[in-house]
């Protein structure tokens, strides 16, 4: 893969709206996962993290509203469908699913911030910076509940390169 430079982040307003709608679908997914997981995580070992997940749910809702506002500002229509939520009754699997989603989210927003800057949309990039700070906090909370170091964010470009199924899905949308 070629080294990234600034021109890699030049996208149209229409493409930004599309990508923000994918981000919004991720925020909806996060709201649902945290609402459910915070209530079904059982056991003394998970009391603290269950409370934290409940707080995450509220933060994800605030993110969804901010992203929808930016989509509207750019002249787009915020979509209404969440990404699929993984269901599990196993606490570790739930936390791992949340952590993987957060890593993808951080990777996506890192790219989105660069794209917003390249467009000169500084209010958007500022909004995204506020959101990404909280997503990183979520990664920390989940990692410490799992007793692991925070794993690296998942770069959406590398993800596409290593998972051809996703790449196909992404290209069929154009
Ligand atoms: Fe979020
Ligand atoms: Fe999050």
């Amino acid at each position: 893969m070629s080294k990234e430079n600034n021109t890699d982040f030049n996208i149209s307003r229409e493409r930004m709206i599309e990508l923000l709608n994918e981000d919004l679908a991720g925020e909806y997914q996060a709201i649902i996962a945290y609402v459910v997981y915070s209530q079904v995580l059982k056991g003394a070992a998970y009391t603290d993290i269950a409370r934290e997940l409940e707080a995450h749910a509220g933060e994800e809702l605030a993110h969804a509203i901010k992203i929808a506002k930016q989509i509207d500002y750019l002249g787009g229509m915020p979509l209404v469908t969440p990404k699929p939520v993984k269901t599990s009754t196993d606490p570790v699997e739930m936390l791992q699913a949340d952590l993987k989603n957060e890593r993808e989210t951080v990777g996506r927003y890192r790219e989105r911030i660069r794209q917003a800057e390249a467009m000169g949309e500084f209010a958007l990039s500022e909004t995204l910076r506020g959101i990404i700070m909280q997503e990183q906090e979520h990664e920390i909370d989940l990692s410490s509940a799992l007793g692991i170091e925070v794993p690296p964010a998942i770069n959406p470009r590398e993800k596409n390169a290593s998972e051809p199924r996703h790449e196909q899905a992404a290209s069929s949308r154009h």
Side-chain angles (χ1 to χ4, degrees):
M1 194 180 298
S2 65
K3 199 163 170 281
E4 284 173 1
N5 59 51
N6 279 341
T7 59
D8 287 339
F9 298 105
N10 278 332
I11 58 167
S12 66
R13 175 175 282 241
E14 287 67 34
R15 181 66 183 143
M16 176 57 94
I17 291 167
E18 247 176 55
L19 289 168
L20 287 172
N21 262 316
E22 290 175 20
D23 297 332
L24 183 59
E27 296 292 355
Y28 292 151
Q29 172 197 53
I31 295 165
I32 296 167
Y34 284 130
V35 164
V36 175
Y37 296 175
S38 66
Q39 304 310 309
V40 303
L41 261 186
K42 295 277 173 2
Y46 298 105
T47 312
D48 288 351
I49 186 68
R51 235 192 329 261
E52 278 172 25
L53 297 192
E54 210 171 297
H56 290 187
E59 288 166 350
E60 304 296 7
L61 173 60
H63 299 169
I65 292 169
K66 285 179 181 166
I67 298 292
K69 190 187 188 95
Q70 293 294 325
I71 292 168
D72 176 65
Y73 169 79
L74 290 170
M77 182 67 185
L79 298 186
V80 296
T81 312
K83 285 187 189 165
V85 180
K86 187 182 164 78
T87 50
S88 171
T89 51
D90 178 62
V92 172
E93 260 179 37
M94 284 186 243
L95 296 173
Q96 282 171 341
D98 281 338
L99 181 56
K100 179 161 182 283
N101 290 339
E102 293 288 356
R103 292 168 61 210
E104 282 181 11
T105 302
V106 168
R108 291 177 60 83
Y109 284 141
R110 279 185 188 164
E111 185 172 81
R112 209 72 64 246
I113 288 165
R114 292 189 173 113
Q115 290 162 333
E117 300 264 322
M119 288 173 77
E121 292 289 350
F122 299 113
L124 173 58
S125 81
E126 208 51 39
T127 297
L128 294 167
R129 279 164 201 270
I131 294 176
I132 207 173
M133 274 172 64
Q134 288 191 325
E135 309 295 16
Q136 287 181 347
E137 290 291 330
H138 297 169
E139 286 184 318
I140 294 168
D141 293 342
L142 294 163
S143 300
S144 70
L146 286 162
I148 58 171
E149 296 288 320
V150 180
I154 298 171
N155 181 335
R157 295 168 188 234
E158 283 168 19
K159 197 184 150 209
N160 284 346
S162 63
E163 289 174 341
R165 260 179 340 118
H166 288 234
E167 189 159 43
Q168 204 176 26
S171 60
S172 69
R173 275 198 297 271
H174 292 287

